[in-house]
Amino acid sequence: DQQVKQNSPSLSVQEGRISILNCDYTNSMFDYFLWYKKYPAEGPTFLISISSIKDKNEDGRFTVFLNKSAKHLSLHIVPSQPGDSAVYFCAGNNYGQNFVFGPGTRLSVLP
Amino acid sequence: DTGVSQDPRHKITKRGQNVTFRCDPISEHNRLYWYRQTLGQGPEFLTYFQNEAQLEKSRLLSDRFSAERPKGSFSTLEIQRTEQGDSAMYLCASSPRMTGGLEQYFGPGTRLTVT
């Protein structure tokens, strides 16, 4: 049973436009969420996080939105840049237990 | 470079052989994690250490897998009698004290291919 789902395996966006990556989770005990970005041949790198007590967290071009009632979060990248092309993983954490990662969404930002 | 390092980066082995991977965490990070990632999936937790103590093991970690962190610094992950299903990317991550594991810094991974 996948506790974290990223139903879009891939997404293509034009440079300068908004990228929206979606993530759904089933475990209502998750209280902390992160987004990681992964380039080929590198390990995942932390991008942005959000606690379940918030519904939005912003860091520069990246904003994460959390809708607890829908068990849904999304990552917005505005404006998208070619260097943002990577695989993005959403992960949930249950009160300090280990993270459960989604399968990832491959973002391609076209120049 | 003060990031997490892993060695080797690639390993090809024949079924039935034993393999060992090494992870060097960021200095002074007290937590160290091992994950496995297969094609099209996100990282899956295998085990983690707080200092030298192995505190949790996933049910994915069969008895052919063993991990150590003898001095609370580097860690090794050994797979005995490898099977083709062990082919995957093995990722290591470390986490600083006081974050409760909520900040994890990943290494580049070791890609294992079992033929």
Side-chain angles (χ1 to χ4, degrees):
Chain A
D1 177 37
Q2 264 195 337
Q3 296 187 61
V4 179
K5 302 176 185 179
Q6 295 178 257
N7 292 322
S8 298
S10 63
L11 175 69
S12 291
V13 171
Q14 208 68 35
E15 180 179 4
R17 299 290 187 102
I18 184 172
S19 295
I20 300 177
L21 294 95
N22 293 304
C23 177
D24 296 289
Y25 61 96
T26 58
N27 189 338
S28 57
M29 299 297 287
F30 283 156
D31 66 336
Y32 194 80
F33 302 88
L34 302 96
W35 285 92
Y36 275 86
K37 179 170 71 174
K38 186 181 184 305
Y39 293 119
E42 295 182 11
T45 55
F46 170 76
L47 193 57
I48 193 168
S49 64
I50 189 166
S51 164
S52 62
I53 63 173
K54 294 186 174 182
D55 54 17
K56 177 182 174 181
N57 190 26
E58 196 171 349
D59 183 2
R61 296 185 297 114
F62 303 92
T63 303
V64 56
F65 295 92
L66 174 62
N67 182 334
K68 288 189 293 295
S69 61
K71 295 193 180 69
H72 177 84
L73 61 158
S74 61
L75 174 68
H76 292 210
I77 307 174
V78 183
S80 301
Q81 300 173 353
D84 296 328
S85 296
V87 178
Y88 289 78
F89 294 101
C90 165
N93 182 278
N94 174 10
Y95 294 100
Q97 292 189 24
N98 297 296
F99 283 102
V100 178
F101 285 81
T105 296
R106 181 178 301 277
L107 173 67
S108 299
V109 180
L110 309 174
Chain B
D1 185 9
T2 57
V4 178
S5 62
Q6 293 186 245
D7 184 70
R9 295 292 304 275
H10 303 274
K11 179 71 176 178
I12 300 173
T13 192
K14 292 186 177 179
R15 189 176 51 192
Q17 298 295 304
N18 298 344
V19 293
T20 300
F21 310 140
R22 175 177 170 129
C23 171
D24 286 88
I26 294 172
S27 179
E28 298 181 359
H29 280 194
N30 69 327
R31 289 194 181 194
L32 186 149
Y33 298 79
W34 284 100
Y35 290 85
R36 182 175 68 188
Q37 185 180 12
T38 53
L39 196 62
Q41 299 299 316
E44 294 176 290
F45 168 77
L46 292 178
T47 188
Y48 93 92
F49 293 83
Q50 183 162 294
N51 301 313
E52 64 275 10
Q54 187 173 19
L55 295 187
E56 189 175 341
K57 292 194 287 188
S58 162
R59 57 183 170 78
L60 294 175
L61 209 67
S62 78
D63 56 7
R64 296 184 297 105
F65 288 68
S66 62
E68 294 183 343
R69 193 182 183 199
K71 297 182 180 178
S73 56
F74 74 91
S75 175
T76 58
L77 177 69
E78 181 183 16
I79 309 174
Q80 296 182 328
R81 305 181 303 282
T82 52
E83 301 172 357
Q84 286 187 321
D86 297 331
S87 295
M89 176 74 82
Y90 290 85
L91 293 162
C92 174
S94 68
S95 182
R97 198 181 303 272
M98 304 302 290
T99 68
L102 294 181
E103 289 181 19
Q104 295 189 18
Y105 298 81
F106 282 85
T110 294
R111 181 169 295 285
L112 173 66
T113 302
V114 182
T115 62

